[in-house]
Amino acid sequence: MLKGKHIILGISGGIAAYKSVYLLRLLIKAGAEVQVIITPNGKEFITPVTLSSLSGKPVISEFFTANTGEWHSHVDLGLWADAMIIAPATASTLAKMANGVADNMLITTYLSSKSKVFVAPAMDLDMWKHPSTQRNIDTLKSDGVSIIEPGAGELASHLVGKGRMEEPENILKSIEQYFACQQDLIDKKVLITAGPTYENIDPVRFIGNYSSGKMGFALAEECAKRGATVTLVAGPVGLKISNDKVNRIDVVSAKEMCEQCKEHFDECDIAILCAAVADYAPKDYYDSKIKREKTDTITIELVKNPDIAATLGKLKTQNQLLVGFALETDNERENAIRKIKNKNLDWIVLNSLKDLEAGFQKDTNKVTLLSVKGQEIPFEAKLKQEVAKDIIDTILKN
Ligand code: PMT
């Protein structure tokens, strides 16, 4: 269940920190990749050496390494994580989380995190009962944080009551249950196109576009995370894919992309065509570099490329979902609706170059999803990873 999942294990300063070592072992045994972030007080209870030996990664505690000046980016960590679990979470850490007091690496990462966050509080019974702690717990719940309630029993103070951190085995179960619900694409096959196509003119020149592949790769990662087997047909891009559930096929031209899509379409349940495919390619390819001539103009004759979306639209069966993208500069809605019909799509993801946060190369996108049934669902500008999640949530639920 946790194989390949990226988990941040946050440890704050309480005696229950010793239990985090067991939790770390369980997470690693379950196949997760774990990055430990420990608060300065946490280090008083458990040593980073123990934790790094078990996780196989240096433990992060400070914003930067003093002798090298190397920065630890809380933003990168927040994006890397599929889930974050803070165990033990002390009263002080809960208060900082609830109020956005970002004075250590753990809290800054929490504030940057896009993933699910769990906390396993641990403290003395009166601290747990205190109205301020309970107010912070309520705030965190309404912020979407899952609270793994502490158990009752003898506490470090020898008092008896509620405040013991939940046992590591039960914390693991909560995390596994969360990922079980996220696996809504298990046993599904998804075909995704990404990036530009290059249509060669001669050995050194081509017709292409500015697509970086970021949107398509984010979709591939999202589908693989949710359990799908993904075939990613990618034009020439400089991106890497980390999930081994993604079978990446690199192509250059629209014709090559079309051939690969046709080959893999009949086995897929969902196809999402995010590539910016060149509509035209040079009629002739010059084997040698075209030389600069004395004439001021040269003419390169272009011929239409296959329309991959329309080709797949004709092959589509009742059990398949076909999702296209529309990149528009004007008459956005009308053009997108026309493309749904012409290409026999179930959904189209409209993004407009008029929006500063949308389009080529950006880390963000701003999309509206339109369906053949007439639904129209606009979204705010978000990181492409989050846009990918919105797209998959929408096409699965509607
Ligand atoms: O890669 P990034 O830098 O992250 O940028 C993302 C993006 C802007 C490329 C992406 O969000 C996007 O909009 N992709 C589609 C771009 C496009 O070509 O749109 P279009 O309106 O021209 O095409 C409509 C649909 O038909 C698209 O699904 C396209 O993949 C498909 N098409 C187009 C032409 C063609 N010959 N064959 C096709 O299948």
Side-chain angles (χ1 to χ4, degrees):
M1 182 63 61
L2 295 188
K3 191 166 183 302
K5 295 288 178 221
H6 295 169
I7 311 274
I8 290 179
L9 172 59
I11 300 177
S12 60
I15 183 62
Y18 80 92
K19 287 193 192 172
S20 309
V21 178
Y22 296 103
L23 177 58
L24 174 57
R25 274 196 63 197
L26 292 174
L27 290 166
I28 298 281
K29 257 178 103 177
E33 204 182 316
V34 185
Q35 175 62 62
V36 177
I37 305 180
I38 191 163
T39 64
N41 282 342
K43 284 192 285 188
E44 302 293 330
F45 290 89
I46 187 92
T47 76
V49 179
T50 310
L51 299 162
S52 65
S53 310
L54 288 171
S55 68
K57 284 178 190 291
V59 169
I60 296 176
S61 184
E62 313 302 333
F63 290 105
F64 58 90
T65 310
N67 52 352
T68 60
E70 183 198 354
W71 262 96
H72 300 128
S73 167
H74 51 280
V75 178
D76 289 349
L77 281 167
L79 287 175
W80 172 85
D82 297 312
M84 187 169 180
I85 164 78
I86 302 179
T90 59
S92 156
T93 288
L94 295 172
K96 287 180 187 180
M97 289 170 74
N99 294 289
V101 180
D103 67 348
N104 66 38
M105 192 64 198
L106 181 58
I107 307 295
T108 48
T109 306
Y110 162 68
L111 294 178
S112 305
S113 174
K114 303 283 170 207
S115 71
K116 180 74 190 161
V117 180
F118 298 84
V119 291
M123 64 199 75
D124 206 43
L125 75 165
D126 292 315
M127 291 174 81
W128 173 250
K129 277 195 288 197
H130 198 281
S132 75
T133 303
Q134 290 307 312
R135 260 198 316 275
N136 292 330
I137 289 286
D138 287 345
T139 304
L140 290 173
K141 277 184 187 165
S142 67
D143 289 344
V145 174
S146 283
I147 314 291
I148 301 174
E149 293 273 324
E154 188 179 345
L155 304 169
S157 59
H158 302 300
L159 294 172
V160 176
K162 197 169 174 181
R164 287 163 63 102
M165 186 176 97
E166 182 53 280
E167 294 308 321
E169 290 78 6
N170 293 335
I171 297 177
L172 181 76
K173 264 187 211 152
S174 300
I175 300 170
E176 284 183 331
Q177 267 164 18
Y178 164 73
F179 281 113
C181 298
Q182 294 294 298
Q183 298 283 292
D184 50 4
L185 283 178
I186 214 132
D187 294 334
K188 297 279 180 216
K189 293 203 169 107
V190 183
L191 171 68
I192 295 173
T193 65
T197 63
Y198 285 179
E199 313 301 327
N200 289 333
I201 299 169
D202 69 11
V204 297
R205 304 179 180 95
F206 60 85
I207 295 172
N209 60 66
Y210 295 111
S211 172
S212 62
K214 285 179 189 174
M215 188 66 248
F217 275 56
L219 280 160
E221 294 272 11
E222 177 64 22
C223 291
K225 257 190 213 171
R226 292 163 87 138
T229 304
V230 180
T231 301
L232 172 64
V233 184
V237 293
L239 299 179
K240 290 201 173 118
I241 203 100
S242 55
N243 198 308
D244 58 12
K245 292 196 79 140
V246 180
N247 167 32
R248 174 177 176 169
I249 300 169
D250 287 313
V251 296
V252 176
S253 66
K255 275 194 190 135
E256 287 168 16
M257 187 172 271
C258 192
E259 285 313 309
Q260 289 298 333
C261 287
K262 281 196 291 186
E263 196 173 323
H264 291 91
F265 184 61
D266 67 336
E267 73 210 23
C268 82
D269 302 286
I270 303 170
I272 308 175
L273 306 176
C274 182
V277 184
D279 282 315
Y280 291 88
K283 182 162 175 272
D284 300 305
Y285 174 73
Y286 292 79
D287 288 328
S288 315
K289 185 182 172 193
I290 301 170
K291 294 280 173 273
R292 191 179 162 86
E293 300 289 346
K294 282 183 190 137
T295 51
D296 284 344
T297 59
I298 63 161
T299 304
I300 295 169
E301 203 179 339
L302 301 177
V303 289
K304 240 188 193 166
N305 267 330
D307 185 325
I308 303 169
T311 307
L312 302 187
K314 285 194 188 119
L315 299 171
K316 188 175 73 168
T317 62
Q318 268 197 334
N319 301 327
Q320 291 178 304
L321 265 186
L322 185 57
V323 181
F325 270 70
L327 180 63
E328 303 295 340
T329 52
D330 41 67
N331 297 329
E332 290 93 336
R333 202 171 160 275
E334 293 75 6
N335 288 333
I337 290 170
R338 191 172 40 78
K339 284 176 187 173
I340 294 181
K341 293 209 176 94
N342 291 349
K343 298 174 194 256
N344 192 22
L345 304 173
D346 298 288
W347 287 92
I348 201 153
V349 181
L350 169 61
N351 41 189
S352 169
L353 286 182
K354 278 187 191 154
D355 286 316
L356 290 177
E357 302 109 322
F360 293 128
Q361 311 219 337
K362 309 244 164 68
D363 289 333
T364 54
N365 205 355
K366 184 167 187 297
V367 302
T368 298
L369 267 74
L370 299 139
S371 80
V372 66
K373 295 183 199 153
Q375 291 141 295
E376 192 166 334
I377 307 171
F379 291 92
E380 296 299 312
K382 295 177 183 186
L383 288 169
K384 283 184 174 163
Q385 287 88 342
E386 296 172 72
V387 173
K389 190 172 177 311
D390 287 340
I391 293 170
I392 304 301
D393 284 346
T394 307
I395 65 170
L396 292 185
K397 276 184 207 139
N398 291 278

